[in-house]
Amino acid sequence: MIMDISCLAEELLEHILSHLSVVKELQTASQVNQLWRKISRAVYREKYRQFREGAQQGRFVWRLIGPSPQQPRTLHFVPKHVRRRNLSQQHLNIPAPRCFPHCVFYGNSIYLHGGVSDKGTGKSYFNDMHRYDLLTHAWQKVATSGTTPTPRSNTSIATFRNTIVLTGGSTYANRHSIGQTRIVHSDIFLYNLSKSEWQKSEASLSCPHSDHVTLFLGDPDIPKLVVTGGTSGNFFGSDMVQTVELYHFNVGDDGRYIVTPGKKFPFLSTRLLHCMVQIDTHTALLYGGRTPHADQVGRQHFRTDAYLLCFNQDFTAMESVRVSVKGQDVYNGLYPAFVHDFARVNNSVIFFQKSIYLKPNPDYDAVEGIWDLDEQRKPTGDEIYRQDYFHTFILDISAVRDTHTIHWVPVTKNPPLLAPRFTLLHATVHAGDALYVFGGSVVQRSREPEASSNLYKITVLKDVVR
């Protein structure tokens, strides 16, 4: 007698389908029949619930994907004998090592764009597009068409539907950037993920922007791009952008989006490399970042304050509301260096970053949330061990609408064994029931910083070991 899998009990079929990937396999299984659709949706909801709860509690498991996409390894570095194999980066299509890349999740793939890498006596800037297939676990360089952005870094991207919008960015003439004049851009590019096509907008930003953050609000069919923070030149306080800008997106007769500049609103709490997440269609939360010193290039103040940017119904007015940040002492003086990249999971904002010690800035009241690097403090014991690794910082924003308060969520003090060391300037993306981290600047003990092309997959433990 031949048994059909559809004849199995629903509980057993649910257990079998729970082993499928949420990225594509569960979607395929849901097309078999109504029963499979019902069970597949239940499995997807349960997987996402487990991931969401684990992420909110910081129960992460790190896994390095590479060097061979077909043979994932669970090491926090790639051994030298592996790098010397005949599996070259070109053969594997692995993107070149870089800092400041951008990653987005679309379909069943992660798309990677841009970045910068130090090589020899100069910087190498990128404008390439790569795709990592979550089903085949393979990298592929994407052949794009249209008007491609020039190579640059420190750009900002925002996505809606199947479109990536890239704005601004900067380049340096040589490797030693401190004291050098930066070339900062003001152009706007749109990338169609379905057609692999770039389009340069006729509109541009009101001034050059670098190290800024963008986000879409409003109706998904006619969204508004919100541009905040950044600098229009070097890292001087006088170069900081002191406005929040709006740009309208409408569909033209040829089906392409037309970008139209909107209103500009003053926002004197200047910063760069900060975090901005959507709260609802007319509200965004802005947190953290860095503020350059007024006169000294290279000197930075670190920010831990937060604001709600609240727009009216037709986006003709904006109110900035100061938000309380609670629970900052749970890290015993450890903070994320700056929140240049993060992942949003439900009502949690997750940062994976190296920790630094901060002290109150003597020129500001502590409530202003402005801090300086504490170079005098010498960590001892497990604090040195903790400083050597990536750390998990989680902000709970679930009550921000009602109480105007966000909370730090305590996580384990000891870093995961497989987390990378000293990684900054990386890209983080949420895809299905996992987070992915690519690239960044890596320091191994006493060696000079070097760019990385490692891709980490981060899942969560289903059960807490007590």
Side-chain angles (χ1 to χ4, degrees), residues 206-234:
S206 63
C207 67
H209 278 65
S210 180
D211 307 285
H212 57 296
V213 179
T214 56
L215 177 74
F216 276 107
L217 294 178
D219 187 339
D221 294 325
I222 47 172
K224 311 292 188 292
L225 182 69
V226 182
V227 182
T228 61
T231 173
S232 60
N234 282 329

Side-chain angles (χ1 to χ4, degrees), residues 5 13-32 36 39-40 43-44 47 135 433 457 462:
I5 190 173
L13 186 57
E14 181 176 343
H15 176 74
I16 294 173
L17 295 183
S18 67
H19 291 81
L20 299 182
S21 166
V22 300
V23 175
K24 186 69 176 178
E25 294 172 340
L26 274 177
Q27 298 177 22
T28 303
S30 67
Q31 299 173 9
V32 174
W36 280 49
I39 297 177
S40 297
V43 170
Y44 178 85
K47 278 179 171 261
L135 300 180
D433 60 347
K457 180 180 180 179
K462 294 183 179 180

Side-chain angles (χ1 to χ4, degrees), residues 116 118-125 151 153 170-185 234:
V116 60
D118 284 332
K119 288 186 177 181
T121 58
K123 289 179 178 290
S124 295
Y125 294 92
S153 70
S170 62
T171 57
Y172 280 108
N174 58 46
R175 181 170 183 261
H176 303 289
S177 57
I178 299 298
Q180 298 290 329
T181 300
R182 295 204 304 174
I183 302 172
V184 185
H185 303 276
N234 282 329

Side-chain angles (χ1 to χ4, degrees), residues 99-363:
C99 303
F100 279 117
H102 290 294
C103 284
V104 299
F105 174 57
Y106 176 75
N108 60 350
S109 300
I110 295 173
Y111 288 82
L112 170 76
H113 177 263
V116 60
S117 177
D118 284 332
K119 288 186 177 181
T121 58
K123 289 179 178 290
S124 295
Y125 294 92
F126 300 100
N127 64 347
D128 49 357
M129 182 73 73
H130 294 263
R131 183 174 73 90
Y132 182 77
D133 193 310
L134 296 176
L135 300 180
T136 63
H137 306 291
W139 282 104
Q140 176 187 5
K141 187 172 182 179
V142 180
T144 62
S145 61
T147 305
T148 305
T150 58
R152 63 188 72 180
S153 70
N154 300 68
T155 59
S156 180
I157 67 169
T159 59
F160 71 99
R161 300 197 185 281
N162 65 339
T163 302
I164 296 175
V165 177
L166 181 146
T167 56
S170 62
T171 57
Y172 280 108
N174 58 46
R175 181 170 183 261
H176 303 289
S177 57
I178 299 298
Q180 298 290 329
T181 300
R182 295 204 304 174
I183 302 172
V184 185
H185 303 276
S186 61
D187 39 17
I188 301 174
F189 291 87
L190 291 81
Y191 180 76
N192 188 306
L193 288 161
S194 302
K195 300 179 180 179
S196 301
E197 180 184 30
W198 283 102
Q199 169 196 345
K200 184 175 181 179
S201 170
E202 295 183 0
S204 60
L205 302 177
S206 63
C207 67
H209 278 65
S210 180
D211 307 285
H212 57 296
V213 179
T214 56
L215 177 74
F216 276 107
L217 294 178
D219 187 339
D221 294 325
I222 47 172
K224 311 292 188 292
L225 182 69
V226 182
V227 182
T228 61
T231 173
S232 60
N234 282 329
F235 291 109
F236 279 118
S238 58
D239 294 326
M240 295 293 290
V241 178
Q242 299 185 357
T243 57
V244 173
E245 303 178 8
L246 283 180
Y247 294 84
H248 303 270
F249 282 67
N250 296 279
V251 180
D253 296 334
D254 58 355
R256 296 189 173 189
Y257 284 99
I258 300 174
V259 184
T260 306
K263 293 199 65 173
K264 294 198 301 183
F265 307 96
F267 185 68
L268 301 182
S269 184
T270 58
R271 63 196 67 209
L272 50 87
L273 297 173
H274 48 284
C275 161
M276 187 165 63
V277 295
Q278 179 182 359
I279 301 301
D280 55 41
T281 57
H282 287 73
T283 308
L285 172 70
L286 184 149
Y287 170 79
R290 300 189 298 176
T291 300
H293 191 273
D295 302 312
Q296 299 180 22
V297 174
R299 183 180 174 186
Q300 305 285 322
H301 303 311
F302 298 87
R303 307 193 68 107
T304 58
D305 54 346
Y307 287 85
L308 282 176
L309 305 182
C310 307
F311 297 89
N312 64 350
Q313 192 64 31
D314 55 0
F315 287 89
T316 57
M318 185 198 79
E319 178 186 10
S320 60
V321 180
R322 181 70 182 266
V323 173
S324 299
V325 184
K326 303 294 185 181
Q328 294 182 0
D329 58 341
V330 298
Y331 296 102
N332 299 320
L334 282 173
Y335 293 88
F338 47 94
V339 290
H340 66 279
D341 207 40
F342 56 92
R344 169 80 178 270
V345 179
N346 200 32
N347 287 320
S348 295
V349 183
I350 301 170
F351 313 104
F352 297 115
Q353 293 191 357
K354 178 182 179 292
S355 304
I356 60 173
Y357 289 99
L358 300 180
K359 61 182 179 181
N361 184 285
D363 297 329

